[in-house]
Amino acid sequence: MSDVVTLERQGDIAVVTVNNPPVNALGIAVREGLQNCFKAAEADPEVKAIVLVCEGMTFMAGADIKEFGKPPKSPSLPEVVAGIEAGNKPSVAVIHGTALGGGLEVAVSCHYRIARKDAKVGLPEVKLGLLPGAGGTQRLPRLVGVPKALDMIVSGNPIGAPEAFELGVVDKLIEGDLLSEGIAFAQQLLMDGKGARRTGERTDKLEGVDNAGAVAAKRAEIEKKMPGLFSPQRCVSAVEASFTLPLEEGLKRERELFGECLTSPQRGALVHAFFSERQASKVDDLPKDTPVREIKSAGVIGGGTMGVGIAICFANAGIPVKILEISSEARDKAIDRARDTYGMSVKRGSLTQDALEKRMGLISGVTDYADLGDVDVVVEAVFEEMGVKQKVFEALDANCKPGAILASNTSSLDLNKIAEFTKRPEDVVGLHFFSPANVMRLLEVVRGEKTSNEVLATAMAIGKKLKKVSVPVGVCDGFVGNRMVFQYGRESEFLLEEGATPAQVDGVLKKFGMAMGPFAMRDLSGLDIGLAIRTRQRQTLPAEYKLPTILDKMAEAGMLGQKTGKGFYVYEPGSRTPQENPDLPPILEAASKEQGVERQQLSDEYIIERTIYALINEGAKILEEGIAQRASDIDVIYLNGYGFPAHQGGPMFYADAVGVDRVYAKICEFHDKLGAWWKPAPLLEKLAKEGRKFADL
Ligand code: 3HC
Ligand code: NAI
């Protein structure tokens, strides 16, 4: 019937097959095909039941996200699902992979559903700034009840097929061939005399529960946990319509709310985040046929904070890993730390004791480089000192087999120099994990001057295997993320010296959507790290680059953050809740005086401009130098490593949204007023003058 959706008959069962790689997204061709095939099957007197199945890696994974923002084409998805549900012949959706968003909406418009045991189903639209717009908010509550539907739709998190079976979303769990299972299920329905069973007509799960209470509780939860997000409250309003309005009116209400989300700027930002993440894994100048080395075993040098986290990443991916430490005591401590980390997951209930033992079985400790002779990749995570790194890389060069990948987790040292400590600089690459390495999704893959294509391609593949968001970056001080965050941190400190308080700056940036304010973050990681950078900068930078002095003054007073119980905030013993530090105001005043600045009230807008525009200006310099491949890669780094809000799209997307010309004008103003740090990036100037955006590059 069409290229992407076909209809065939097997006895009295019509089989509708969707084949639209890679994820069977419901673009216009699929929608048309589904509508035509279901209509034809309904009209064929020989057909008694219909089976819907998908080719490839997954059932339909949702509407075609690329179509958002373009003029809508008929038939719309709501029309298609309404047609399927209205059919008089029983229809069965056979689910494998992920039935997400519009895909699940199609499945629940079929009269029955069977699913592979390892399949997942969900309505993740909220993660794209949307709500399920093809009946999902009306039909899912009819299957699982309002409270569970609210949880699924507002979180956007999918559930596994076994849970879906328990809840009644799925009628049977299957293991065998999709098509044969689908046909067998349909034949059984016919034998049992079962006909159409329309989800939209069900009301049993909507009754006898305090639905209004569940709605009120979810609204309060959103208010607290996701303030400023546009679509979650609208998801709740749509679900509310499922029990306050008849189906047809509920669907209409859902459509209106979906339309509001579709035009919201947050939708644009979140869709940008989705595609940017997928784009980031592609290295533009790497030939498609670049071979990738097989990685079956790993080594980690240094079992400290980062090394243990990195080893856990390998074990989680099923790759055996050896941690090398300087002594047997340090080695044993590292292994204990890995076990403790897993132990906390067991305590939280996210890991079974069995799984802990299996993963610990993949982690071993060694003290001798000879034990690393057979590993395929080594990640060095020792102290951040060039002399120490030199010794490690010389030892790796002498002991590792030819073809082993030698990676460094350095956060600021020159990777090219590190590579020169070996006779195989082409095998050296940076794998810059973020702390805690087993939790944070970001991985900067640092490409040295001599890193070979094969090693880079393998490093990107390792990132994927470890379930990281891997972004290739070039060599410079701090790479992309930390180089930019230096600017942000310094400007935040200057704001304190100009008159703001930590709570004010943190509050404004949290309202903007940042996961944490810069000062709460500083307290968490310890002020000594920032202080060391400042001290180094003070020694090396030309005099026109003025630096804040607040950190030095706080360190003198013993305020180093959470570790000393006092920093920008104070902390009760054992607590991480920041409270106002009563000893800070005199220090702020002294710093202001020293800088010759009169303290004044600063506006929220000014705080955003000083901090976020500092990121944008540095990002533009990074792009121009080719340290990042594309503006969207910088966004991916910020979204996944620095708590930048996804609904703002990342710093470079935000610049486009504000207007590059406006950002440029403000940065010029800051340059005149505040000096050298604010010299506008030439690329920013060029884009502003040409009326272009970062997205146009
Ligand atoms: N539309 C268009 N393209 C999509 C897509 C979609 N819904 N989902 C995935 N793709 C593309 C990706 O961009 C990628 O393309 P590329 O190869 O050119 O980079 C390719 O499919 C493979 O995707 P992944 O790299 O993400 O593959 P994974 O195997 O890691 O993950 C997945 C597969 C779980 C399906 C994941 O892609 C995903 O979560 N997709 C989004 C699902 C979603 O959000 N659905 C809801 C859409 S909104 C909706 O349905 C509205 C409706 O209610 C009206
Ligand atoms: P850490 O001090 O917690 O751990 C370093 C470990 O290396 C110690 O256990 C030490 O015993 C071991 N070690 C030192 N010299 C060694 C040698 N010659 N051979 C074997 N082991 C040796 O340090 P951390 O924080 O884990 O940092 C490690 C590296 O990771 C540094 O390069 C750092 O810049 C980088 N990094 C740190 C991040 C962080 O947030 N802590 C984030 C990203 C990168």
Side-chain angles (χ1 to χ4, degrees):
M1 301 221 57
S2 81
D3 287 348
V4 292
V5 188
T6 52
L7 174 67
E8 57 164 340
R9 200 150 56 73
Q10 298 215 5
D12 51 5
I13 311 288
V15 177
V16 178
T17 306
V18 179
N19 186 7
N20 183 31
V23 297
N24 290 314
L26 284 145
I28 179 62
V30 175
R31 298 200 302 274
E32 255 169 16
L34 280 175
Q35 192 177 54
N36 292 339
C37 290
F38 271 83
K39 267 189 190 158
E42 191 69 25
D44 184 344
E46 304 290 324
V47 169
K48 299 285 182 280
I50 305 165
V51 168
L52 170 63
V53 68
C54 291
E55 294 278 356
M57 69 175 192
T58 180
F59 192 78
M60 290 165 264
D64 188 337
I65 301 170
K66 292 193 180 103
E67 286 184 358
F68 294 158
K70 294 187 184 156
K73 284 191 182 157
S74 192
S76 68
L77 196 54
E79 283 162 3
V80 174
V81 301
I84 295 175
E85 184 172 78
N88 290 311
K89 298 174 181 172
S91 51
V92 182
V94 185
I95 298 170
H96 75 294
T98 45
L100 298 178
L104 182 59
E105 291 174 304
V106 169
V108 299
S109 72
C110 288
H111 304 144
Y112 300 87
R113 287 154 295 283
I114 63 175
R116 276 252 177 90
K117 278 190 174 150
D118 58 356
K120 288 190 173 146
V121 304
L123 293 173
E125 285 87 343
V126 72
K127 296 188 179 179
L128 299 171
L130 290 169
L131 52 88
T137 64
Q138 307 305 297
R139 291 192 179 90
L140 190 66
R142 285 173 160 81
L143 287 175
V144 303
V146 169
K148 182 68 192 176
L150 281 170
D151 285 348
M152 286 178 67
I153 293 170
V154 171
S155 74
N157 294 333
I159 56 171
E163 187 181 353
F165 175 67
E166 292 293 320
L167 290 166
V169 181
V170 163
D171 299 291
K172 187 182 174 196
L173 296 176
I174 56 167
E175 279 177 281
D177 174 65
L178 297 174
L179 184 56
S180 345
E181 292 276 4
I183 290 177
F185 188 86
Q187 280 166 340
Q188 191 62 46
L189 285 177
L190 296 177
M191 277 196 293
D192 295 344
K194 289 189 177 157
R197 185 193 60 173
R198 298 183 187 93
T199 308
E201 288 172 359
R202 287 179 59 173
T203 53
D204 52 309
K205 289 276 175 76
L206 300 180
E207 288 155 9
V209 185
D210 179 12
N211 292 329
V215 162
K218 190 53 81 179
R219 284 204 189 288
E221 184 189 321
I222 294 170
E223 193 58 49
K224 200 165 154 220
K225 291 195 189 151
M226 323 176 195
L229 285 191
F230 189 83
S231 68
Q233 292 288 10
R234 282 159 183 85
C235 288
V236 178
S237 300
V239 173
E240 191 174 27
S242 72
F243 64 90
T244 53
L245 298 173
L247 180 70
E248 277 314 311
E249 283 178 47
L251 289 170
K252 220 172 117 200
R253 178 84 183 115
E254 176 194 83
R255 212 58 208 155
E256 287 162 9
L257 292 160
F258 182 79
E260 286 176 22
C261 293
L262 203 57
T263 51
S264 122
Q266 293 189 0
R267 194 270 306 161
L270 288 157
V271 169
H272 166 78
F274 177 85
F275 283 119
S276 300
E277 186 175 318
R278 276 137 192 94
Q279 175 90 340
S281 63
K282 294 166 187 131
V283 186
D284 281 343
D285 62 343
L286 208 55
K288 277 218 157 55
D289 55 357
T290 305
V292 172
R293 295 181 193 166
E294 203 175 359
I295 301 295
K296 288 211 232 120
S297 58
V300 172
I301 316 294
T305 312
M306 294 306 289
V308 168
I310 295 167
I312 287 175
C313 294
F314 280 104
N316 289 350
I319 300 171
V321 55
K322 295 175 192 169
I323 303 177
L324 184 141
E325 258 292 351
I326 34 177
S327 65
S328 47
E329 292 77 40
R331 173 199 66 194
D332 295 347
K333 233 167 114 184
I335 299 292
D336 288 348
R337 197 165 324 143
R339 183 170 279 277
D340 289 349
T341 308
Y342 277 132
M344 284 194 282
S345 304
V346 172
K347 235 185 199 164
R348 274 198 306 269
S350 56
L351 194 77
T352 62
Q353 186 67 31
D354 233 28
L356 176 153
E357 296 303 341
K358 260 195 203 126
R359 292 186 197 180
M360 281 309 295
L362 293 171
I363 303 178
S364 55
V366 298
T367 52
D368 188 345
Y369 278 88
D371 291 324
L372 298 180
D374 58 346
V375 298
D376 300 314
V377 57
V378 184
V379 185
E380 164 278 311
V382 300
F383 303 137
E384 188 74 338
E385 283 168 34
M386 201 48 118
V388 187
K389 307 268 185 205
Q390 173 166 5
K391 284 199 183 105
V392 170
F393 275 82
E394 283 168 357
L396 290 175
D397 196 23
N399 287 277
C400 290
K401 68 182 180 188
I405 290 181
L406 310 182
S408 173
N409 182 47
T410 179
S411 39
S412 59
L413 298 177
D414 183 347
L415 185 81
N416 294 327
K417 217 165 164 185
I418 293 176
E420 291 307 327
F421 299 139
T422 73
K423 290 183 214 70
R424 36 175 144 170
E426 66 283 0
D427 285 337
V428 176
V429 69
L431 287 178
H432 184 214
F433 291 79
F434 288 71
S435 182
N438 52 312
V439 176
M440 297 294 288
R441 291 183 75 219
L442 179 63
L443 180 69
E444 285 182 332
V445 175
V446 189
R447 183 181 199 172
E449 258 165 26
K450 298 199 175 151
T451 307
S452 74
N453 281 350
E454 194 173 316
V455 168
L456 180 65
T458 308
M460 295 297 290
I462 292 172
K464 192 162 184 174
K465 232 176 183 170
L466 303 190
K467 294 208 164 68
K468 298 290 177 194
V469 176
S470 314
V471 187
V473 300
V475 177
C476 67
D477 189 5
F479 311 119
V480 173
N482 284 346
R483 174 168 158 184
M484 286 168 68
V485 92
F486 292 153
Q487 314 294 325
Y488 174 85
R490 184 201 58 244
E491 288 305 309
S492 310
E493 289 165 34
F494 271 139
L495 288 171
L496 295 192
E497 297 184 354
E498 287 174 27
T501 63
Q504 187 194 2
V505 175
D506 281 358
V508 168
L509 286 161
K510 276 195 78 177
K511 204 162 142 215
F512 177 79
M514 298 299 287
M516 248 181 147
F519 296 111
M521 180 58 109
R522 275 279 164 83
D523 275 358
L524 181 67
S525 51
L527 266 58
D528 33 355
I529 299 177
L531 188 63
I533 296 169
R534 283 285 169 283
T535 310
R536 203 171 67 216
Q537 287 179 331
R538 203 160 282 133
Q539 287 157 0
T540 53
L541 279 172
E544 71 258 34
Y545 288 91
K546 238 175 64 176
L547 287 163
T549 59
I550 183 79
L551 291 183
D552 309 67
K553 294 194 161 34
M554 289 175 69
E556 271 166 35
M559 299 179 189
L560 290 180
Q562 286 194 21
K563 64 170 103 171
T564 56
K566 206 182 251 189
F568 290 101
Y569 302 95
V570 286
Y571 303 84
E572 301 281 342
S575 160
R576 288 178 178 273
T577 310
Q579 289 172 4
E580 200 183 311
N581 178 355
D583 298 329
L584 193 62
I587 296 181
L588 294 182
E589 269 157 39
S592 306
K593 211 164 166 194
E594 192 174 301
Q595 301 278 13
V597 176
E598 187 136 341
R599 294 183 68 75
Q600 55 184 309
Q601 189 70 30
L602 306 179
S603 74
D604 291 6
E605 192 187 359
Y606 183 71
I607 290 172
I608 297 279
E609 288 168 349
R610 283 288 295 276
T611 49
I612 307 293
Y613 289 10
L615 290 176
I616 296 169
N617 200 32
E618 196 66 22
K621 291 177 189 167
I622 281 172
L623 264 181
E624 206 162 22
E625 291 167 28
I627 298 292
Q629 287 191 102
R630 16 183 130 79
S632 61
D633 283 11
I634 297 179
D635 288 337
V636 172
I637 288 172
Y638 262 76
L639 297 177
N640 292 285
Y642 295 85
F644 201 95
H647 69 271
Q648 304 278 16
M652 310 319 278
F653 182 90
Y654 181 75
D656 282 352
V658 171
V660 171
D661 51 346
R662 267 186 62 191
V663 174
Y664 170 67
K666 188 53 84 179
I667 287 178
C668 290
E669 207 182 300
F670 288 158
H671 187 216
D672 290 344
K673 197 174 111 193
L674 303 163
W677 285 115
W678 282 98
K679 188 171 178 345
L683 176 64
L684 189 73
E685 179 177 356
K686 187 167 151 31
L687 290 179
K689 291 194 170 151
E690 291 171 359
R692 293 164 71 210
K693 295 175 159 200
F694 285 106
D696 299 332
L697 290 172

